[in-house]
Amino acid sequence: MALALTYETSRTLVRMRLASFRHALRDQLRRSWIITGAFIGLVLAGGTIWLAARGEQDVLVVVLALWMLGWVVGPLFAGGGDETLKPEYFTMLPLSPRTLSSGLLVAALAGVAPVISLIALVSLVILGGQLSVVAALVAVPALLLQLFCFVLASRLAVAVYGVLLQARAGAVIAALVNAFILAFAAQGWALIAAFVSTDVQGTIAKAARFAPSGWGFTAVEAAGRGDWLQLLAALAGLAVLALVMLLVWSALLVRRTTANRAGRTPRRQLTASTAEGAAAAKELRSWTRDLLYGHRAVFAIAYGLFFCLMPLAIGLKSMLPWAGPAAVIMAGSMSCNLYGADGTALWTTVMTPGASRPDVRARQRAFLLAFGPVTLAITVVLTWWSGVASAWPLVLSVLPALLGGAAGLIVACSVYSAVPTTDAHKRSGNPLNTGENEGETMGIVYVMLIAVATSCAPALIVALYTGWWGVPVGLLSGALFWWYFGRVTARRLEQKGPELLTLLRHGRSPAEQAKKTAGLDALPKWRRTLAGFCLGFGAIPLIPQSVVPLVIKLTGSNSSKSWFLALYQEGAWQWVVIVLMGALGLSMYAFGGLTYYYARKHAPGASVAVGAA
């Protein structure tokens, strides 16, 4: 009876998951994200199979470990993963935790990512075929068990992460882990180079074999050499690990769907006597008490530190002075949807006459107080530690410009390009999941990374040519960004506050969604694809091939060429490559952005909407 109920539950949930996937494909933006992700995944899966065909066993087992790592950490950067079917939806049904978790697990397998991972794990079959017929046969159950472990590890990581985010210390730990992983994705070359230079490749491969991601690989190898005891131990280990993760996940689902989330009594009441003081106190409390706000703040600061400290593994100190500016850029991008995160709580501002300007300025001041002192301290300490005297005027010019630019851009972006999210009081047991518009939010985050970074351009240029004169330019440009964007944002909020509240409360109507994509649908498919590619990959020539080599050149450190193309050139050609790569990256962003802008502008009904606005 229990097995029959589990089967029917799984079947129903799979049908619901597939129906939701078909619905997602109707949205042009989400379809673009899915197609791009699937293409990249297929390329990586093909590379994994190619390694198996070449017999690169040590490299293959490390790559399989990276696949499992991607399953674990990927959802942490994608709004908690795909939770189309939230456990909270089924709390009123007479289903046991194990039945529900088993059904959700089977439903999770009905997606693009599991299919791509399954293709990558075919490398085990290819490896087994090179060893023996028995090894090829053993590879089939091994890859299926390995896939189950991948998906379960992902679900369990999200569940554990959700538990951590419900406690202040846990939110800090989760932010540190996230920041290290993302920084490693960008600067991990330094750690890898340090490992390679110490001849530990074999040690890494051996460790990957002992990790759960290598147990299927170990089973195939054992079958190839006739070691039946190790074969059985590896397969049994995968089965037991999958069962244990399923049981733990079931227990966490029970905690998630039954936990009491009653509000707590405030430790300190607001005592402000003016509207400006009350708004400022409220915003400061948001940064210190809201766990998601605190998580993002710690993440941004830790990312800046990890990003610039990792090159120390190869003795490169020239990145140290830029930890503070890097943290500000990340903080600005992570705060691009402040008003969207408020949700329906925005009505308290809309319904209070004259509250728009104090509220906007309060959010700007809170951001500066949250990140200004700490990033200044980080910049001063690490610049002194680096011993690069020429970096002082550069970083002290750039930092105030970035702080003011970020404080102005975050409020403007969150009002002009607000994305509806789940209200704070309606958040599910997975705090990472903030609604159905994660793809749109991530797109704005990427745009804000570039916008905040370019806000320091005047100060940087002046500092490069005149040295310390860049400091007053940075202070002035930061103040202008703060004042101007705060002013236009307050005016916009005053005029369009009710419309913004309606958007955050009800989301976009189907007609608005269709109007949003009508212009894109009218474009040739090749142009839509090219625009999406440019927006997705424009950062590669711009950041690592232009900005980072520029920083290395300006600080006078060429100790590591790594994968920076410009540093492999001679003399003036280094500057030529840096400029060309920067121009290529900016051109890619310009082409993609202008394509989407003009598509929306010339969409059917756009002129009417603009006139009404």
Side-chain angles (χ1 to χ4, degrees):
M1 183 66 180
L3 289 176
L5 180 60
T6 301
Y7 171 77
E8 289 298 328
T9 301
S10 301
R11 181 182 175 185
T12 302
L13 292 178
V14 167
R15 292 173 61 188
M16 293 174 65
R17 174 69 182 84
L18 293 177
S20 175
F21 181 73
R22 290 193 299 269
H23 178 74
L25 292 177
R26 298 174 185 172
D27 186 281
Q28 173 67 37
L29 182 62
R30 295 179 70 183
R31 182 165 70 245
S32 299
W33 279 99
I34 292 172
I35 293 174
T36 303
F39 174 75
I40 296 173
L42 287 174
V43 171
L44 296 176
T48 305
I49 293 175
W50 178 75
L51 289 174
R54 286 177 54 88
E56 300 284 351
Q57 297 185 15
D58 286 350
V59 180
L60 177 61
V61 70
V62 174
V63 170
L64 291 177
L66 293 177
W67 275 96
M68 190 167 190
L69 180 64
W71 270 98
V72 172
V73 305
L76 308 184
F77 297 105
D82 184 3
E83 280 211 335
T84 305
L85 305 178
K86 292 184 175 68
E88 290 84 356
Y89 293 163
F90 310 100
T91 53
M92 302 301 293
L93 297 179
L95 298 174
S96 67
R98 294 181 185 178
T99 300
L100 178 59
S101 59
S102 299
L104 290 174
L105 172 63
V106 175
L109 293 172
V112 176
V115 172
I116 293 175
S117 296
L118 181 64
I119 295 173
L121 288 172
V122 172
S123 59
L124 295 179
V125 178
I126 296 175
L127 175 65
Q130 295 174 347
L131 299 176
S132 68
V133 176
V134 176
L137 294 176
V138 169
V140 176
L143 73 88
L144 293 177
L145 287 172
Q146 197 75 71
L147 180 63
F148 272 104
C149 287
F150 282 2
V151 178
L152 277 168
S154 176
R155 297 292 91 193
L156 186 59
V158 171
V160 172
Y161 197 82
V163 172
L164 290 177
L165 280 183
Q166 294 173 11
R168 196 176 305 279
V172 171
I173 294 173
L176 293 175
V177 173
N178 263 10
F180 178 83
I181 293 170
L182 188 60
F184 181 82
Q187 294 283 64
W189 58 268
L191 300 182
I192 294 172
F195 279 127
V196 170
S197 64
T198 54
D199 297 324
V200 295
Q201 303 96 311
T203 304
I204 296 176
K206 185 180 294 184
R209 282 178 168 84
F210 282 107
S213 59
W215 291 355
F217 180 91
T218 301
V220 175
E221 274 193 332
R225 63 175 179 267
D227 189 345
W228 308 115
L229 182 60
Q230 188 176 30
L231 163 64
L232 293 175
L235 292 179
L238 283 173
V240 172
L241 177 64
L243 179 61
V244 170
M245 287 194 293
L246 180 62
L247 294 177
V248 175
W249 184 36
S250 300
L252 291 176
L253 286 183
V254 173
R255 184 185 187 279
R256 171 174 171 176
T257 54
T258 60
N260 182 13
R261 300 187 181 90
R264 297 181 180 179
T265 302
R267 294 188 297 272
R268 188 172 72 255
Q269 300 292 336
L270 292 175
T271 57
S273 58
T274 63
E276 291 79 2
K282 184 262 292 184
E283 284 304 312
L284 285 175
R285 280 163 171 76
S286 296
W287 281 104
T288 57
R289 295 183 181 179
D290 189 307
L291 295 182
L292 281 182
Y293 271 69
H295 167 77
R296 290 166 181 166
V298 174
F299 170 80
I301 295 170
Y303 175 81
L305 288 171
F306 287 138
F307 183 85
C308 296
L309 286 172
M310 283 184 180
L312 285 175
I314 56 173
L316 184 64
K317 288 187 175 182
S318 59
M319 293 293 294
L320 291 178
W322 302 94
V328 175
I329 293 173
M330 183 57 69
S333 66
M334 297 292 290
S335 306
C336 65
N337 197 34
L338 288 178
Y339 280 98
D342 277 5
T344 55
L346 181 64
W347 76 272
T348 58
T349 302
V350 174
M351 296 299 293
T352 304
S356 297
R357 183 182 178 279
D359 188 74
V360 169
R361 294 303 185 191
R363 291 175 189 266
Q364 291 182 296
R365 287 197 296 271
F367 179 86
L368 293 175
L369 288 174
F371 294 101
V374 64
T375 54
L376 178 61
I378 290 172
T379 300
V380 171
V381 171
L382 293 186
T383 304
W384 169 78
W385 181 20
S386 71
V388 183
S390 60
W392 282 104
L394 296 177
V395 295
L396 293 182
S397 302
V398 164
L399 185 62
L402 287 175
L403 284 169
L409 288 169
I410 58 173
V411 291
C413 181
S414 62
V415 169
Y416 280 89
S417 301
V419 179
T421 61
T422 304
D423 280 2
H425 66 285
K426 293 182 179 179
R427 291 174 187 164
S428 67
N430 175 13
L432 290 170
N433 192 285
T434 55
E436 299 180 353
N437 301 303
E438 290 295 337
E440 187 175 353
T441 303
M442 290 305 299
I444 296 176
V445 168
Y446 292 142
V447 172
M448 280 290 289
L449 279 172
I450 305 301
V452 175
T454 55
S455 67
C456 70
L460 179 60
I461 293 172
V462 174
L464 286 174
Y465 286 98
T466 64
W468 289 100
W469 283 105
V471 177
V473 174
L475 291 169
L476 179 61
S477 64
L480 287 176
F481 266 98
W482 176 85
W483 171 79
Y484 176 75
F485 283 106
R487 183 170 177 265
V488 298
T489 301
R491 185 187 304 155
R492 173 78 174 187
L493 186 61
E494 186 73 31
Q495 296 173 350
K496 297 294 181 180
E499 290 85 346
L500 178 60
L501 177 60
T502 301
L503 171 66
L504 299 181
R505 181 179 181 182
H506 300 292
R508 295 184 178 88
S509 66
E512 290 173 329
Q513 290 282 9
K515 186 186 297 182
K516 182 181 176 183
T517 60
L520 285 176
D521 293 337
L523 293 176
K525 186 175 181 180
W526 69 266
R527 186 166 183 178
R528 298 199 305 266
T529 305
L530 183 59
F533 176 83
C534 289
L535 291 175
F537 296 96
I540 294 179
L542 181 62
I543 304 299
Q545 297 299 336
S546 180
V547 175
V548 175
L550 176 65
V551 170
I552 293 176
K553 290 285 293 178
L554 293 177
T555 53
S557 175
N558 294 325
S559 58
S560 175
K561 296 181 179 180
S562 183
W563 67 308
F564 306 126
L565 180 62
L567 300 185
Y568 285 92
Q569 311 304 314
E570 298 294 336
W573 286 105
Q574 292 185 339
W575 294 106
V576 172
V577 173
I578 288 174
V579 172
L580 289 178
M581 284 295 177
L584 175 61
L586 291 175
S587 299
M588 292 174 69
Y589 276 118
F591 175 80
L594 290 175
T595 297
Y596 279 80
Y597 171 75
Y598 285 115
R600 292 186 62 181
K601 184 177 180 180
H602 297 291
S607 58
V608 177
V610 172

